[in-house]
């Protein structure tokens, strides 16, 4: 055994001759065994453990290196393993590398792939790693820099991911070991490594980023130029580890790169972008690096920043609710923001939403760090904010909102307002202004800027724009302004009211109307008004004065039309003081025939509501002004629209006009608790002038083609009769003109019209003059009873009941005539029950009067009552009137009493 050892030590060639010879065999298996035997003999045989390998290597290396080219993968792998062990056990000497590296270059460092096996390429690059690691503490590798460049540049693009990973590790080692020489070869590594940035395996991307980080630190400026953009793109990588590695490498550059002062503006955006990463690990890493960079910059420029350091202030009182960056970070950004913001502006024009999002996030950090230092770049910043505000991505809009608020914290209004003043026509500019105001200081805004801003927004060409985004941001500016300036907004209250009321009158949707109403309520609080109506009283005049367009041009969406309708519906008692402005507007849009019919219908509906709610709307109005207003409404607006004209459009307008007339005539003068009674016709003189024209028109409208018009006309007749009765101006002639047209409507095709006709007849004859003589007007009464009795046999059971109730009510006109007509024709009628009930009622009435006449000293068989001046034949109502006077003297009954109580007294 000792001889064997001496043989390997003394004559390695002889000891290994047998195996070397076998390497020439054509058998792959024999060659593999030979290599295995060589490996075991040299490295694993305990008897050769003390053998000097420097003696063995010269005799064996040529045969082993030749096996690197063996056609058998197993043989090549064994040969590489032998050489790897030699490198690990041989002393440091570039002599060995002189033979090994050229062979490796030929296998994996050529432009074409020579070594086809992925596993063998991996073993070869691992051998390179072993070589670099073994010689890392020496300068022996310098002369082989070209070989390493060829190998690593090629293997870093290898299709096998594990080869890529190993190549990147080798490159990182080379940059540290051969810093002086690597500088000249660095560019050769950049493009091959960058090609891995798009690899599907995240570990390859991470390794490539680490390699690029090392290459840039040890390379020239061209390496940085080639790498910075791909590194920025990797901040959008979906894998957290990739983004984290980019953050680490860029932070390392900013701390250690020798030319970093030339490239601050290229590196700052990358690190600040990581401050907004979605993952906390990346954000925390970026925050720590950014703090360290600022402190290092402060230390490196201590002399230049001495004044700022000496007078370093605490956090300003007006500062966002975030941690303030250190002075070094702030100075770095202030120095470079002018080069970064234009690039952000260009990115905001891009088509990739994620890129725009990261750009907007970066802008937030720049503004936070730059503080007042962004003033000289305010124009560029404003343009960027303006563009970002109109983005389609809500994420971008949220960041622009935040950036605008930060801009408001640090930039004074006299700087940003001139830049945005000309852009108020744009909703995106309003969005920016609203959010700038949230960050602004009250004392700086409440003067000139506040007034000019509101003046611009209150311009009719702006506040009347009916577009969703414009309205929304217009309201948000008002809201932000009131939140900021609070009581100081009293100086611009009229403009704020005009803006918000205009949007309230013509909103694009319910949400916008709610926002406008909320702003009006906030303004009410500022103005110290008890209610919105009080606020309207202060400012509604301005809105009415601004309605100046020709009503002939109005449509449903015309702002002036919307404003007028909103004032009529919502202003309440505030309109009572402005009737002198409202009346001409109503006349212009309702009295002119050529105005859009849809506009007329809308305004008529609003006017009807105004007249119905008169106790609220007119309670603060002076009687003279109300009378003048009502005269215009009836004579110049309603009456012309009640005149018949052909066409369905004219028919619809007539319907609206007569409905409005009903509202005007309706009796609401009853008072309601604390509400003051408001009468549209307080005296006989105020109502009587209209009767002569109204009665013929209403009589004609009762026969209109529209069933709805006929219904409203009958309602108007009822209201008119009641009003005229109250004011003692309802005449027999009016009664006879109106009852006849109502009587004809008993045969109407519309059931509701027939029902209204019955009610109208009852009201008309209840309102007849006190001394209505049934004998003189017996023909009219006979016609009334005859028509009504016929309809007791109507096919509609409900209508029959209505008619019976009406006959019972009107029987007091002439009970004798009605009894006679019932008994004469009772055999002709089918509705026996109704006629029997009516007959019974008339008998009770007859008996009642018999008792009254006896008590009064009259003949028992007469239908006579006692009048103050003697006796005459009078109707039931007249009799009751006289008997009330008689009862007052005989029984001491004071005032009027019901029939039941009257009977009891008698």
């Amino acid at each position: 055994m000792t001889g064997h050892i001496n043989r390997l030590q003394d004559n390695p060639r002889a000891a290994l001759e047998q195996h070397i010879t076998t390497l020439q065999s054509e058998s792959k298996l024999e060659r593999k065994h030979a290599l295995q035997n060589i490996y075991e003999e040299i490295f694993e045989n305990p008897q050769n453990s003390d053998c000097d390998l420097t003696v063995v290597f010269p005799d064996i290396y040529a045969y082993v290196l030749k096996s690197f080219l063996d056609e058998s993968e197993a043989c090549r792998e064994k040969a590489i393993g032998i050489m790897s062990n030699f490198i690990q056990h041989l002393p440091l000497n570039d002599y060995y590398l002189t033979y090994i590296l050229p062979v490796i270059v030929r296998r994996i460092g050529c432009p074409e792939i020579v070594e086809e096996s992925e596993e063998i390429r991996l073993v070869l690059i691992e051998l390179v790693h072993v070589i670099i690691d073994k010689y890392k503490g020496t300068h022996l590798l310098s002369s082989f820099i070209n070989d390493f460049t060829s190998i690593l540049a090629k293997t870093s693009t290898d299709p096998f991911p594990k080869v890529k990973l190993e190549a990147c590790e080798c490159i990182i080692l080379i940059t540290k070991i051969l810093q002086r020489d690597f500088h000249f070869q660095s560019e050769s590594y950049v493009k091959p490594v960058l090609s891995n940035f798009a690899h599907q395996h995240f570990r390859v991307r991470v390794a490539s980023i680490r390699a690029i980080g090392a290459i840039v630190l040890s390379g020239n400026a061209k390496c940085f130029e080639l790498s910075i953009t791909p590194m920025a793109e990797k901040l959008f990588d979906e894998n957290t580890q990739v983004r984290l590695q980019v953050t680490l490498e860029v932070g390392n550059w900013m701390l250690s790169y020798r030319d970093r002062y030339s490239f601050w503006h290229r590196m700052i955006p990358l690190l600040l972008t990581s401050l907004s990463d979605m993952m906390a690990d990346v954000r925390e890493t970026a925050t720590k690096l950014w703090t360290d960079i600022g402190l290092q910059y402060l230390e490196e420029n201590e002399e230049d920043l001495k004044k700022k350091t000496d007078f370093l202030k605490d956090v300003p009182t007006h500062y966002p609710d975030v941690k303030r960056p250190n002075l070094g970070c702030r100075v770095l950004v202030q120095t470079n923001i002018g080069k970064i913001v234009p690039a952000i502006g260009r990115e905001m024009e891009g088509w990739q939403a994620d890129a725009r999002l990261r750009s907007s996030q970066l802008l937030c950090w720049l503004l936070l760090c730059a503080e007042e230092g962004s003033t000289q770049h305010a124009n560029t910043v404003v343009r960027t904010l303006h563009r970002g505000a109109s983005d389609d991505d809500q994420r971008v809009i949220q960041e622009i909102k935040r950036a605008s608020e930060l801009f408001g914290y640090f930039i004074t209004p006299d700087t940003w307002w001139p830049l945005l003043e000309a852009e108020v026509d744009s909703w995106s500019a309003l969005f920016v202004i609203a959010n700038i105001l949230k960050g602004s200081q009250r004392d700086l805004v409440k003067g000139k800027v506040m007034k000019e801003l509101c003046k611009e927004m209150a311009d009719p060409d702006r506040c009347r724009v009916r577009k969703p985004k414009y309205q929304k941001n217009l309201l948000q500016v008002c809201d932000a302004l009131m939140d900021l300036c609070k009581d100081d907004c009293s100086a611009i209250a009229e403009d704020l009211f005009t803006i918000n009321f205009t949007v309230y009158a013509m909103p694009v949707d319910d949400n916008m109307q709610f926002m406008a109403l909320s702003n009006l309520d906030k303004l009410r609080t500022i103005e110290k008004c008890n209610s919105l109506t009080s606020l309207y009283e202060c400012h509604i005049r301005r809105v009415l004065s601004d309605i100046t367009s020709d009503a002939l041009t109005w449509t449903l969406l015309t702002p002036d039309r919307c404003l007028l309708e909103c004032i009529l519906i919502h202003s309440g008692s505030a309109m009572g003081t402005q009737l002198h402005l409202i009346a001409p507007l109503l006349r212009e849009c309702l009295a002119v025939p050529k105005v859009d019919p849809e506009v007329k219908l809308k305004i008529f509906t609003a006017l009807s509501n105004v007249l119905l709610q008169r106790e609220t709307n007119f309670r603060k109005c002076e009687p003279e002004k109300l009378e003048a207003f009502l005269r215009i409404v009836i004579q110049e607006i309603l009456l012309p629209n009640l005149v018949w004209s052909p066409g369905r459009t004219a028919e619809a307008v007539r319907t609206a006009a007569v409905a409005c007339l009903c509202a005007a005539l309706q009796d609401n003068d009853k008072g309601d608790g604390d509400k003051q009674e408001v009468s549209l016709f307080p005296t006989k003189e105020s109502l009587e002038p209209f009767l002569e024209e109204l009665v013929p028109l209403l009589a004609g409208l009762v026969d209109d083609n529209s069933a709805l018009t006929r219904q409203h006309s009958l309602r108007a007749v009822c209201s008119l009769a009641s009003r005229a009765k109250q004011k003692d101006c309802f005449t027999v002639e009016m009664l006879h003109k109106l009852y006849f047209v109502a009587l004809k409507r008993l045969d109407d095709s519309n059931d509701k019209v027939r029902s209204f006709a019955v009610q109208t007849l009852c009201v008309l004859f209840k309102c007849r003059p006190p001394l209505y003589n049934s004998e003189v007007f017996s023909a009219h009464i006979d016609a009334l009873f005859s028509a009504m009795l016929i309809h007791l046999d109507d096919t509609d059971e409900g209508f029959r009941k209505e008619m019976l109730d009406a006959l019972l009510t009107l029987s007091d006109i002439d009970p004798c005539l009605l009894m006679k007509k019932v008994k004469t024709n009772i055999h002709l009628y089918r509705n026996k029950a109704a006629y029997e009930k009516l007959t019974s009622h008339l008998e009770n009435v007859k008996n009642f009067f018999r008792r009254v006449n006896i008590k009064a000293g009259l003949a028992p068989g007469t239908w006579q009552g006692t009048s103050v001046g003697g006796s005459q034949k009078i109707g039931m109502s007249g009799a009751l009137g006289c008997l009330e006077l008689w009862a007052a003297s005989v029984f001491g009954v004071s005032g009027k009493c019901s029939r039941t109580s009257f009977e009891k007294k008698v």
Side-chain angles (χ1 to χ4, degrees), residues 380-445:
T380 308
V381 173
V382 165
R383 286 202 307 270
T384 305
L385 293 173
H386 194 177
R387 168 61 187 86
S390 60
D391 201 279
D392 296 329
D393 193 321
Q394 285 300 316
R395 299 174 301 166
V396 176
I397 293 175
Q398 282 300 113
E399 294 300 327
I400 292 297
K401 181 178 180 179
R402 180 166 162 260
S404 300
E405 188 171 343
L406 289 170
F407 189 73
Y409 271 102
F410 303 117
I411 308 302
T412 58
D414 57 354
T415 298
W416 60 257
W417 171 238
L419 300 175
L420 286 164
E421 184 176 7
E423 303 293 333
V424 178
D425 290 329
S426 166
W427 68 263
S428 53
L430 292 176
F431 176 88
V432 173
I433 291 172
N435 290 287
I436 287 177
L437 288 172
K438 292 178 182 178
S440 297
Q441 295 186 59
R442 175 178 179 178
D443 293 340
L444 299 178
V445 173

Side-chain angles (χ1 to χ4, degrees), residues 842-863:
L842 291 172
E843 288 292 343
N844 289 336
V845 172
K846 180 178 179 182
N847 293 334
F848 168 73
F849 269 95
R850 182 179 295 111
R851 294 195 301 273
V852 170
N853 287 338
I854 292 172
K855 202 73 176 174
L858 300 175
T862 65
W863 293 79

